[in-house]
Each structure stands twice: as C-alpha cells, then as structure tokens.
Amino acid sequence: MALGVEWGLSWLRSHGGYRKQEGQRQRGQGTPIWALPRAKKRLLWQLLLTAFGFLGLYLYRLGSLRSLEVFIPMGICPRATMPLLRDNFTGVLRHWARPEVLTCTSWAAPIIWDGTFDPQVAEQEARRQNLTIGLTVFAVGRYLEKYLEHFLDSAEQHFMVGQSVVYYVFTDRPEAVPYMTLGQGRLLRVERVPQENRWQDVSMARMRTLHEALGGQLGQEADYVFCLDVDQHFTSNFGPETLADLVAQLHAWHYHWPRWLLPYERDKRSAAALSFGEGDFYYHAALFGGSVAALRKLTAHCALGQQLDSERGVEAIWHDESHLNKFFWLYKPTKVLSPEFCWDLQIGWRTEIHTPRLLWEPKEYALVRN
C-alpha cells in the first residue's frame, strides 16, 4: 500500500496536483489526495486496484509471471480447528501431511488434498452405507463427438471404483451417444435436452435441467451426485473421500489469488453479483456435487438467478459459474476439493499438485462452439 501511495503522489506531482514554487505549494493548482472527500478517495483507490487487477489478468497468461503466484501464501489451518475436521468418509484428516497448503476453511470445512485422507476408510464407509453415486454430464453439439467417449471411458477406470454408479448423459442427440461396456453395478442413462442457439445458453440451461432431474428419477436412485463438464477426463482414483452434503471445487487457475482479484460477477444488476468485500474462494463449475437435497437447493438458486438476470437484460460474466459462486458465498460448502481434483496442465508444474484426479482437455472452442 505504501508503494501505491508513493506512486499516486508522484503521478499527482507530474500532473500539477502537487507543486511547490519557491518553497510554497501553489494554491488552487490541485487538491492533495489526502484532502479529497472520503467518497472520492474510495473511488480513486477502487479505480487503481481495478486497473492493476486487469493488468494482472492480462499478464497472467505469461508463464514466467504466472509462476510467481506460488509465492502468494495460501494460509494454514488453525490447530484448534484440526480435530473438528472429519466425516464418515475421510475419518480424521492428516493435516500434518500437507503443511504447505491450506487444509481447512474459515467455517471449519475440510479442503481435501492428496495424503490428508485414507482412501480405504472412505471406500469401506461408502460400501457400508450401500450408496449409489450419480455422475451427470452434458454433451451437446460437437462436445459429444469430441469428448464424451473419452470422458466415460476414464470414469469407468477411476470414478468411484467398486461403488454403485449411475451416469446421466444429457444431450441433444441421444442416438449418437457411444455404446459403453460398464462394470458391475454401473448404469448409463441418456436424457434428451433441447438444442440451444448459443453455447452460453447451453451452459446456463444446465442448472434448470439438473434441478428437474434431481426431482425425478436421478434423485430417486442416487444418494450423492456429482455434476461435471464433459471436456475433461479422469486420470487417477476419484473416490468416496470426495463425498459430502455440499461439495465445491477450487478453481485451478485462481486458488492462489487474493480475493479482490477473483473474477466474481461485479455488476450489481445481476443476481450473481458479489461486492469487493464478499467471497471466500473462487469455485469451478466444471465440478460440484453433494446430496440430492443440497443440490436441489443449489440448482434452484442458480436457475432462479439466471431467470432474474434474463428478465433484467443482464448476463453474468461467467454464466452459471458466477451464480454458483454466489450460492457458495451464501451457503458454505461442507467439503472443498483441492485443485488436484480438477487440474489444467497448461498452468504448468506446481509442487503442491501431487496426484491430479481429473485433467482438463485442451480447449478447442473454435471447433466445438461453432
């Protein structure tokens, strides 16, 4: 902040706001920054922070600069909170195994990293409860041919292995869904969805469709449900350690960023809007999950927010993801997954990413969105 003040004063000096002539400041040649009304000071600093934020976003794509984010501390979990962080699926978490990363939230929800849990404990508990886990994915337009088969094949190898699973594929062309040989206790259901004119509409219609499905057959046959994007694939075991009433995924590109730089919706006209003092983390809409009841609440909130935005003639900057982040600010997730569970190789090597569970596919928007 001191550097910012010094920079601001030097700018004012060079533009006539802070001059001295013969040892005296000229009167009427400008107002010092400390003499501005409070509202104008706040506006000035907001403009400066916004400018630096956009500059940071622009330069972030440069790998040499992006690598510097590893020096931004993630924080540590308070010792008093550690004994409280346990559930039926992970048991007592091993926070000591990952001292270099944040393993809990301020509301005492665990952040799951590789090495902090015993996968056998989670698998045994899921079998004891005789759970069925749903996995939903939307494969609309060219996304179907490009990604769906690889996604489902990798899920058969790594998603909830040994558990009862029901896949729900939502598509505008059910006849084009590839035939899959599934393991014992695993089912594939295909649901038709209408074709949309814009890819943004496909993204935003997802919450409404999921809400309806969770109130129907999906909600009747699954105990927990994960909702994933199709343009990614599983690379390692994604097991019951991820289960909880409400599960959020830390966004791989933003988990080191300070809160004021996170790409929340800022337009106050939008139902997804968060002010600069709001928000905890930035969550990725490519992966979220939870119990049927919790997801019904989540999808209802997001669908309503999108409907209100449509009536007001606004569209959130990151569509359903913006509304998802608003929901998780209002209703805290009970478990948060580390970026290891949904990673992008384009970010580069990170020491804290031990075993990626899910990897993004290369983005080919020119191909799949036209």
Side-chain angles (χ1 to χ4, degrees), residues 72-145:
I72 302 175
M74 295 181 63
I76 59 173
C77 189
R79 289 186 177 273
T81 305
M82 291 183 182
L84 304 176
L85 299 176
R86 60 176 299 159
D87 60 32
N88 290 337
F89 298 104
T90 57
V92 178
L93 291 174
R94 307 165 180 168
H95 297 276
W96 50 265
R98 299 299 302 272
E100 80 281 15
V101 294
L102 182 64
T103 55
C104 73
T105 69
S106 61
W107 58 93
I111 302 176
I112 306 299
W113 293 84
D114 185 54
T116 62
F117 60 91
D118 186 342
Q120 293 184 348
V121 170
E123 291 168 5
Q124 291 171 2
E125 180 61 26
R127 291 194 191 99
R128 186 190 70 81
Q129 295 188 33
N130 192 28
L131 298 176
T132 296
I133 298 124
L135 175 58
T136 71
V137 65
F138 284 70
V140 177
R142 295 180 182 177
Y143 279 83
L144 193 156
E145 291 91 354

Coordinates of all heavy atoms in Angstrom, one line a residue, residues 72-145:
I72 N 2.5 -16.5 -3.3 CA 1.4 -16.0 -2.5 C 1.0 -17.0 -1.5 O 0.6 -18.1 -1.9 CB 0.2 -15.7 -3.4 CG1 0.6 -14.7 -4.5 CG2 -1.0 -15.1 -2.6 CD1 -0.4 -14.4 -5.6
P73 N 1.1 -16.8 -0.2 CA 0.7 -17.8 0.8 C -0.7 -18.2 0.8 O -1.6 -17.4 0.6 CB 1.1 -17.1 2.1 CG 1.0 -15.6 1.8 CD 1.4 -15.5 0.4
M74 N -1.0 -19.5 1.0 CA -2.4 -20.0 1.0 C -3.0 -19.9 2.4 O -4.2 -20.1 2.5 CB -2.4 -21.4 0.5 CG -2.0 -21.6 -1.0 SD -2.1 -23.3 -1.6 CE -3.9 -23.6 -1.4
G75 N -2.1 -19.8 3.4 CA -2.6 -19.8 4.8 C -2.5 -21.2 5.3 O -2.2 -22.2 4.7
I76 N -2.7 -21.3 6.6 CA -2.6 -22.6 7.3 C -3.9 -22.8 8.1 O -4.6 -21.9 8.5 CB -1.4 -22.7 8.2 CG1 -1.4 -21.6 9.3 CG2 -0.1 -22.7 7.4 CD1 -0.3 -21.7 10.3
C77 N -4.2 -24.1 8.4 CA -5.4 -24.4 9.2 C -5.1 -24.2 10.7 O -4.1 -24.8 11.2 CB -5.8 -25.8 8.9 SG -7.4 -26.3 9.6
P78 N -5.9 -23.5 11.4 CA -5.6 -23.3 12.9 C -5.6 -24.6 13.6 O -6.5 -25.5 13.3 CB -6.8 -22.4 13.3 CG -7.3 -21.7 12.1 CD -7.1 -22.7 11.0
R79 N -4.7 -24.8 14.5 CA -4.6 -26.0 15.3 C -5.9 -26.4 16.0 O -6.3 -27.6 16.2 CB -3.5 -26.0 16.3 CG -2.1 -26.0 15.6 CD -1.0 -26.0 16.7 NE 0.3 -26.1 16.1 CZ 0.9 -27.3 15.7 NH1 0.2 -28.4 15.9 NH2 2.1 -27.2 15.2
A80 N -6.6 -25.4 16.5 CA -7.9 -25.6 17.2 C -8.9 -26.2 16.3 O -9.9 -26.9 16.8 CB -8.4 -24.3 17.9
T81 N -8.8 -25.9 15.0 CA -9.9 -26.4 14.1 C -9.6 -27.8 13.6 O -10.5 -28.6 13.3 CB -9.9 -25.5 12.8 OG1 -10.1 -24.2 13.3 CG2 -11.0 -25.9 11.9
M82 N -8.3 -28.3 13.6 CA -7.9 -29.5 13.0 C -8.7 -30.7 13.6 O -9.2 -31.6 12.8 CB -6.4 -29.8 13.2 CG -5.6 -28.8 12.3 SD -3.8 -29.2 12.5 CE -3.1 -27.9 11.4
P83 N -8.9 -30.9 14.9 CA -9.6 -32.1 15.4 C -11.1 -32.1 15.0 O -11.7 -33.2 15.0 CB -9.5 -31.9 16.9 CG -8.3 -31.0 17.2 CD -8.3 -30.1 16.0
L84 N -11.6 -31.0 14.6 CA -13.0 -31.0 14.2 C -13.3 -31.4 12.7 O -14.4 -31.7 12.4 CB -13.6 -29.5 14.3 CG -13.4 -28.9 15.7 CD1 -13.9 -27.4 15.7 CD2 -14.1 -29.7 16.8
L85 N -12.2 -31.5 12.0 CA -12.3 -31.8 10.5 C -12.3 -33.3 10.3 O -11.3 -33.9 10.1 CB -11.2 -31.1 9.8 CG -11.2 -29.5 9.9 CD1 -10.0 -29.0 9.2 CD2 -12.5 -29.0 9.4
R86 N -13.5 -33.8 10.3 CA -13.6 -35.3 10.0 C -15.0 -35.5 9.5 O -15.9 -34.7 9.8 CB -13.3 -36.1 11.2 CG -14.2 -35.9 12.4 CD -13.9 -36.9 13.5 NE -14.1 -38.2 13.1 CZ -13.6 -39.3 13.7 NH1 -12.8 -39.1 14.7 NH2 -13.8 -40.5 13.3
D87 N -15.2 -36.6 8.7 CA -16.6 -37.0 8.4 C -16.6 -38.5 8.2 O -15.5 -39.2 8.4 CB -17.1 -36.3 7.1 CG -16.2 -36.5 5.9 OD1 -15.6 -37.6 5.8 OD2 -16.2 -35.7 5.1
N88 N -17.7 -39.1 7.9 CA -17.8 -40.5 7.8 C -16.9 -41.1 6.7 O -16.6 -42.3 6.7 CB -19.3 -40.9 7.5 CG -20.2 -40.7 8.7 OD1 -19.7 -40.6 9.8 ND2 -21.5 -40.5 8.5
F89 N -16.6 -40.3 5.7 CA -15.9 -40.8 4.6 C -14.3 -40.7 4.6 O -13.6 -41.5 4.1 CB -16.4 -40.2 3.3 CG -17.8 -40.5 3.0 CD1 -18.8 -39.5 3.3 CD2 -18.2 -41.7 2.6 CE1 -20.1 -39.8 3.0 CE2 -19.6 -42.0 2.4 CZ -20.5 -41.0 2.6
T90 N -13.9 -39.7 5.3 CA -12.4 -39.5 5.4 C -11.8 -39.8 6.8 O -10.6 -39.9 6.9 CB -12.1 -38.0 5.1 OG1 -12.8 -37.1 6.0 CG2 -12.4 -37.6 3.7
G91 N -12.7 -39.9 7.8 CA -12.2 -40.1 9.1 C -11.5 -38.8 9.6 O -11.8 -37.7 9.1
V92 N -10.5 -39.0 10.4 CA -9.7 -37.8 10.9 C -8.7 -37.5 9.8 O -7.9 -38.3 9.4 CB -9.0 -38.1 12.2 CG1 -8.1 -36.9 12.6 CG2 -10.0 -38.4 13.3
L93 N -8.7 -36.2 9.4 CA -7.8 -35.8 8.3 C -6.4 -35.6 8.8 O -6.1 -35.2 10.0 CB -8.3 -34.5 7.7 CG -9.6 -34.6 6.9 CD1 -10.0 -33.2 6.5 CD2 -9.4 -35.5 5.7
R94 N -5.4 -36.0 8.0 CA -4.0 -35.9 8.3 C -3.4 -34.5 7.9 O -2.7 -34.4 6.9 CB -3.2 -37.0 7.6 CG -3.8 -38.4 7.9 CD -3.1 -39.3 6.9 NE -3.6 -40.7 7.0 CZ -3.4 -41.7 6.1 NH1 -2.8 -41.4 5.0 NH2 -3.9 -42.9 6.3
H95 N -3.7 -33.5 8.6 CA -3.3 -32.1 8.2 C -1.8 -32.0 8.2 O -1.2 -31.3 7.4 CB -3.9 -31.1 9.2 CG -5.4 -31.0 9.1 ND1 -6.0 -30.3 8.2 CD2 -6.3 -31.6 9.9 CE1 -7.3 -30.4 8.4 NE2 -7.5 -31.2 9.4
W96 N -1.1 -32.7 9.1 CA 0.3 -32.7 9.2 C 1.0 -33.2 8.0 O 2.2 -32.8 7.7 CB 0.8 -33.5 10.4 CG 0.2 -34.9 10.5 CD1 -0.9 -35.3 11.1 CD2 0.7 -36.1 9.8 NE1 -1.1 -36.7 10.9 CE2 -0.2 -37.1 10.1 CE3 1.8 -36.3 8.9 CZ2 0.0 -38.4 9.6 CZ3 2.0 -37.6 8.4 CH2 1.1 -38.6 8.7
A97 N 0.3 -34.0 7.1 CA 0.9 -34.5 5.9 C 1.1 -33.4 4.8 O 1.9 -33.6 3.9 CB 0.1 -35.7 5.4
R98 N 0.3 -32.3 4.9 CA 0.4 -31.3 3.9 C 0.5 -29.9 4.5 O -0.4 -29.1 4.4 CB -0.8 -31.3 3.0 CG -1.0 -32.7 2.2 CD 0.1 -33.0 1.3 NE 0.4 -31.9 0.3 CZ -0.2 -31.9 -0.9 NH1 -1.1 -32.8 -1.2 NH2 0.0 -30.9 -1.7
P99 N 1.6 -29.6 5.2 CA 1.8 -28.3 5.9 C 1.9 -27.2 4.9 O 1.8 -26.0 5.4 CB 3.0 -28.5 6.7 CG 3.8 -29.6 5.9 CD 2.8 -30.5 5.4
E100 N 2.2 -27.4 3.7 CA 2.5 -26.3 2.7 C 1.2 -25.8 2.1 O 1.3 -24.8 1.3 CB 3.4 -26.8 1.6 CG 2.8 -27.6 0.5 CD 2.5 -29.1 0.8 OE1 2.5 -29.4 2.0 OE2 2.2 -29.9 -0.1
V101 N 0.0 -26.4 2.4 CA -1.2 -25.9 1.8 C -2.3 -25.7 2.8 O -2.2 -26.2 3.9 CB -1.7 -26.9 0.7 CG1 -0.8 -27.0 -0.5 CG2 -2.0 -28.3 1.3
L102 N -3.3 -25.0 2.4 CA -4.5 -24.7 3.3 C -5.4 -25.9 3.3 O -5.8 -26.4 2.2 CB -5.2 -23.5 2.8 CG -6.4 -23.1 3.7 CD1 -6.0 -22.6 5.1 CD2 -7.2 -21.9 3.0
T103 N -5.6 -26.5 4.5 CA -6.4 -27.8 4.5 C -7.8 -27.6 5.2 O -8.5 -28.6 5.5 CB -5.6 -28.8 5.3 OG1 -5.2 -28.3 6.6 CG2 -4.4 -29.2 4.5
C104 N -8.1 -26.3 5.5 CA -9.5 -26.1 6.0 C -9.9 -24.7 5.7 O -9.1 -23.8 5.3 CB -9.5 -26.3 7.5 SG -8.7 -25.0 8.5
T105 N -11.2 -24.5 5.8 CA -11.8 -23.2 5.5 C -12.0 -22.4 6.9 O -11.9 -23.0 7.9 CB -13.1 -23.3 4.8 OG1 -14.1 -23.9 5.7 CG2 -13.0 -24.1 3.5
S106 N -12.4 -21.2 6.8 CA -12.7 -20.4 8.0 C -13.9 -20.9 8.7 O -14.1 -20.6 9.9 CB -12.8 -18.9 7.6 OG -13.9 -18.7 6.7
W107 N -14.8 -21.6 8.0 CA -16.0 -22.2 8.6 C -15.8 -23.7 9.0 O -16.8 -24.4 9.2 CB -17.2 -22.0 7.8 CG -17.2 -22.6 6.4 CD1 -17.6 -23.8 6.0 CD2 -16.6 -22.0 5.2 NE1 -17.4 -24.0 4.7 CE2 -16.8 -22.9 4.2 CE3 -16.0 -20.8 4.9 CZ2 -16.3 -22.7 2.9 CZ3 -15.6 -20.5 3.6 CH2 -15.7 -21.4 2.6
A108 N -14.6 -24.1 9.1 CA -14.2 -25.4 9.5 C -14.7 -26.6 8.6 O -15.0 -27.7 9.1 CB -14.8 -25.7 11.0
A109 N -14.7 -26.3 7.3 CA -14.9 -27.4 6.3 C -13.5 -27.8 5.8 O -12.6 -27.0 5.7 CB -15.7 -26.9 5.2
P110 N -13.3 -29.1 5.6 CA -12.0 -29.6 5.2 C -11.8 -29.3 3.7 O -12.7 -29.3 2.9 CB -12.1 -31.1 5.4 CG -13.6 -31.4 5.3 CD -14.3 -30.2 5.8
I111 N -10.5 -29.0 3.4 CA -10.1 -28.9 2.0 C -9.3 -30.2 1.7 O -8.2 -30.4 2.3 CB -9.3 -27.7 1.7 CG1 -10.1 -26.4 2.1 CG2 -8.8 -27.6 0.3 CD1 -9.3 -25.1 1.9
I112 N -9.7 -31.0 0.8 CA -9.1 -32.3 0.6 C -8.0 -32.3 -0.4 O -8.1 -31.9 -1.5 CB -10.2 -33.3 0.1 CG1 -11.4 -33.3 1.0 CG2 -9.6 -34.7 0.0 CD1 -11.1 -33.7 2.4
W113 N -6.8 -32.7 0.2 CA -5.6 -32.8 -0.6 C -5.1 -34.2 -0.6 O -5.4 -35.0 0.4 CB -4.5 -31.9 -0.1 CG -4.7 -30.4 -0.2 CD1 -5.5 -29.6 0.6 CD2 -4.3 -29.5 -1.3 NE1 -5.5 -28.3 0.2 CE2 -4.8 -28.2 -1.0 CE3 -3.5 -29.7 -2.4 CZ2 -4.5 -27.1 -1.8 CZ3 -3.2 -28.6 -3.2 CH2 -3.7 -27.4 -2.9
D114 N -4.3 -34.6 -1.6 CA -3.7 -35.9 -1.6 C -2.8 -36.1 -0.4 O -2.1 -35.2 0.0 CB -2.8 -36.1 -2.9 CG -2.3 -37.5 -3.0 OD1 -3.1 -38.4 -3.0 OD2 -1.0 -37.6 -3.1
G115 N -3.0 -37.2 0.3 CA -2.2 -37.5 1.5 C -2.9 -37.1 2.8 O -2.4 -37.5 3.9
T116 N -4.0 -36.4 2.8 CA -4.7 -36.0 4.0 C -5.7 -37.0 4.4 O -6.4 -36.7 5.5 CB -5.3 -34.6 3.9 OG1 -6.3 -34.6 2.8 CG2 -4.2 -33.6 3.5
F117 N -6.0 -38.0 3.7 CA -7.1 -38.9 4.0 C -6.7 -40.4 3.7 O -5.7 -40.6 2.9 CB -8.4 -38.6 3.2 CG -8.1 -38.7 1.7 CD1 -8.4 -39.9 1.0 CD2 -7.7 -37.6 1.0 CE1 -8.1 -39.9 -0.4 CE2 -7.5 -37.6 -0.4 CZ -7.7 -38.8 -1.1
D118 N -7.4 -41.3 4.2 CA -7.2 -42.7 4.0 C -8.2 -43.2 3.0 O -9.4 -43.3 3.4 CB -7.2 -43.5 5.3 CG -6.9 -45.0 5.1 OD1 -6.9 -45.5 3.9 OD2 -6.6 -45.7 6.1
P119 N -7.9 -43.5 1.7 CA -8.9 -43.9 0.8 C -9.6 -45.2 1.1 O -10.8 -45.3 0.8 CB -8.1 -44.0 -0.5 CG -6.7 -44.2 -0.1 CD -6.5 -43.4 1.2
Q120 N -9.0 -46.1 1.8 CA -9.7 -47.3 2.2 C -10.8 -47.1 3.2 O -11.8 -47.7 3.2 CB -8.6 -48.3 2.8 CG -7.6 -48.8 1.8 CD -6.7 -49.8 2.3 OE1 -6.6 -50.0 3.5 NE2 -5.9 -50.5 1.5
V121 N -10.6 -46.1 4.1 CA -11.6 -45.8 5.1 C -12.9 -45.3 4.3 O -14.0 -45.6 4.6 CB -11.1 -44.7 6.1 CG1 -12.3 -44.2 6.9 CG2 -10.0 -45.3 7.0
A122 N -12.6 -44.4 3.4 CA -13.7 -43.8 2.6 C -14.5 -44.9 1.8 O -15.7 -44.9 1.7 CB -13.2 -42.7 1.7
E123 N -13.7 -45.8 1.2 CA -14.4 -46.8 0.3 C -15.2 -47.8 1.2 O -16.3 -48.2 0.8 CB -13.3 -47.6 -0.4 CG -12.6 -46.8 -1.5 CD -11.3 -47.4 -2.0 OE1 -11.0 -48.6 -1.6 OE2 -10.6 -46.8 -2.9
Q124 N -14.6 -48.2 2.4 CA -15.4 -49.1 3.2 C -16.7 -48.4 3.8 O -17.7 -49.1 3.9 CB -14.5 -49.5 4.4 CG -13.3 -50.4 4.0 CD -12.3 -50.6 5.1 OE1 -12.5 -50.1 6.2 NE2 -11.2 -51.3 4.8
E125 N -16.6 -47.1 4.1 CA -17.8 -46.5 4.6 C -18.8 -46.3 3.5 O -20.0 -46.5 3.8 CB -17.4 -45.1 5.1 CG -18.6 -44.3 5.7 CD -19.2 -45.0 6.9 OE1 -18.6 -45.7 7.6 OE2 -20.4 -44.7 7.1
A126 N -18.4 -46.1 2.3 CA -19.4 -46.0 1.2 C -20.1 -47.3 1.0 O -21.3 -47.4 0.7 CB -18.7 -45.5 -0.1
R127 N -19.3 -48.4 1.0 CA -19.9 -49.7 0.9 C -20.8 -50.1 2.0 O -21.9 -50.7 1.9 CB -18.8 -50.8 0.8 CG -18.0 -50.7 -0.5 CD -17.2 -52.0 -0.7 NE -16.2 -51.8 -1.8 CZ -14.9 -51.5 -1.6 NH1 -14.4 -51.3 -0.4 NH2 -14.1 -51.3 -2.7
R128 N -20.4 -49.7 3.2 CA -21.3 -50.0 4.4 C -22.6 -49.3 4.3 O -23.7 -49.9 4.7 CB -20.6 -49.5 5.7 CG -21.3 -49.9 7.0 CD -20.7 -49.2 8.2 NE -21.0 -47.8 8.2 CZ -22.2 -47.2 8.6 NH1 -23.1 -48.0 9.0 NH2 -22.3 -45.9 8.5
Q129 N -22.6 -48.1 3.7 CA -23.9 -47.3 3.6 C -24.7 -47.8 2.3 O -25.8 -47.3 2.1 CB -23.6 -45.8 3.5 CG -23.1 -45.3 4.8 CD -23.0 -43.7 4.7 OE1 -23.8 -43.1 4.1 NE2 -22.0 -43.2 5.4
N130 N -24.0 -48.6 1.5 CA -24.7 -49.1 0.3 C -25.2 -48.0 -0.6 O -26.3 -47.9 -1.0 CB -25.9 -50.0 0.7 CG -26.4 -50.8 -0.6 OD1 -25.6 -51.1 -1.5 ND2 -27.7 -51.2 -0.6
L131 N -24.2 -47.1 -0.9 CA -24.6 -45.9 -1.6 C -24.6 -46.1 -3.1 O -23.9 -46.9 -3.7 CB -23.6 -44.8 -1.3 CG -23.5 -44.3 0.2 CD1 -22.3 -43.3 0.3 CD2 -24.8 -43.7 0.6
T132 N -25.4 -45.3 -3.8 CA -25.4 -45.1 -5.2 C -25.0 -43.7 -5.5 O -25.6 -42.7 -5.0 CB -26.7 -45.4 -5.9 OG1 -27.0 -46.8 -5.6 CG2 -26.7 -45.2 -7.4
I133 N -24.0 -43.5 -6.4 CA -23.5 -42.2 -6.7 C -23.8 -41.8 -8.1 O -23.5 -42.6 -9.0 CB -22.0 -42.1 -6.4 CG1 -21.7 -42.3 -5.0 CG2 -21.4 -40.7 -6.8 CD1 -20.7 -43.4 -4.7
G134 N -24.4 -40.7 -8.4 CA -24.7 -40.2 -9.7 C -23.6 -39.4 -10.3 O -23.0 -38.6 -9.5
L135 N -23.4 -39.4 -11.6 CA -22.5 -38.6 -12.3 C -23.2 -38.0 -13.5 O -23.6 -38.8 -14.4 CB -21.2 -39.4 -12.7 CG -20.2 -38.6 -13.5 CD1 -19.7 -37.4 -12.8 CD2 -19.1 -39.5 -13.9
T136 N -23.4 -36.7 -13.5 CA -24.1 -36.1 -14.6 C -23.1 -35.4 -15.5 O -22.1 -34.8 -15.1 CB -25.2 -35.1 -14.2 OG1 -24.5 -33.9 -13.6 CG2 -26.1 -35.7 -13.1
V137 N -23.4 -35.4 -16.8 CA -22.5 -34.7 -17.8 C -23.4 -34.2 -19.0 O -24.3 -34.9 -19.4 CB -21.4 -35.6 -18.2 CG1 -21.9 -36.8 -19.0 CG2 -20.3 -34.8 -19.0
F138 N -23.1 -33.1 -19.5 CA -23.8 -32.5 -20.7 C -22.9 -32.7 -21.9 O -21.8 -32.2 -21.9 CB -24.2 -31.1 -20.4 CG -25.4 -30.9 -19.5 CD1 -25.3 -31.2 -18.2 CD2 -26.6 -30.5 -20.0 CE1 -26.4 -31.0 -17.3 CE2 -27.7 -30.3 -19.2 CZ -27.6 -30.6 -17.8
A139 N -23.4 -33.3 -22.9 CA -22.7 -33.5 -24.2 C -23.6 -33.0 -25.3 O -24.3 -33.8 -25.9 CB -22.2 -34.9 -24.3
V140 N -23.5 -31.7 -25.6 CA -24.4 -31.1 -26.6 C -23.6 -30.6 -27.8 O -22.5 -30.1 -27.6 CB -25.2 -29.9 -25.9 CG1 -26.1 -29.2 -26.9 CG2 -26.0 -30.4 -24.7
G141 N -24.2 -30.8 -29.0 CA -23.5 -30.3 -30.2 C -22.2 -31.1 -30.4 O -22.1 -32.3 -30.2
R142 N -21.1 -30.4 -30.8 CA -19.9 -31.1 -31.1 C -19.1 -31.6 -29.9 O -18.2 -32.4 -30.0 CB -19.0 -30.2 -31.9 CG -19.6 -29.9 -33.3 CD -18.7 -28.9 -34.1 NE -19.3 -28.6 -35.4 CZ -18.8 -27.8 -36.3 NH1 -17.6 -27.2 -36.0 NH2 -19.4 -27.5 -37.4
Y143 N -19.6 -31.2 -28.7 CA -18.9 -31.7 -27.5 C -19.1 -33.2 -27.4 O -18.3 -33.9 -26.8 CB -19.5 -31.0 -26.2 CG -18.9 -29.6 -26.0 CD1 -19.4 -28.5 -26.6 CD2 -17.9 -29.5 -25.0 CE1 -18.9 -27.2 -26.4 CE2 -17.4 -28.2 -24.8 CZ -17.9 -27.1 -25.4 OH -17.3 -25.9 -25.2
L144 N -20.2 -33.7 -27.9 CA -20.5 -35.1 -27.8 C -19.4 -35.9 -28.5 O -18.7 -36.8 -27.9 CB -21.9 -35.4 -28.4 CG -22.4 -36.8 -28.1 CD1 -24.0 -36.8 -28.2 CD2 -21.9 -37.9 -29.1
E145 N -19.2 -35.7 -29.8 CA -18.2 -36.4 -30.6 C -16.8 -36.2 -30.0 O -15.9 -37.1 -30.0 CB -18.2 -36.1 -32.1 CG -19.4 -36.6 -32.8 CD -20.5 -35.5 -32.8 OE1 -20.4 -34.5 -32.1 OE2 -21.6 -35.7 -33.5

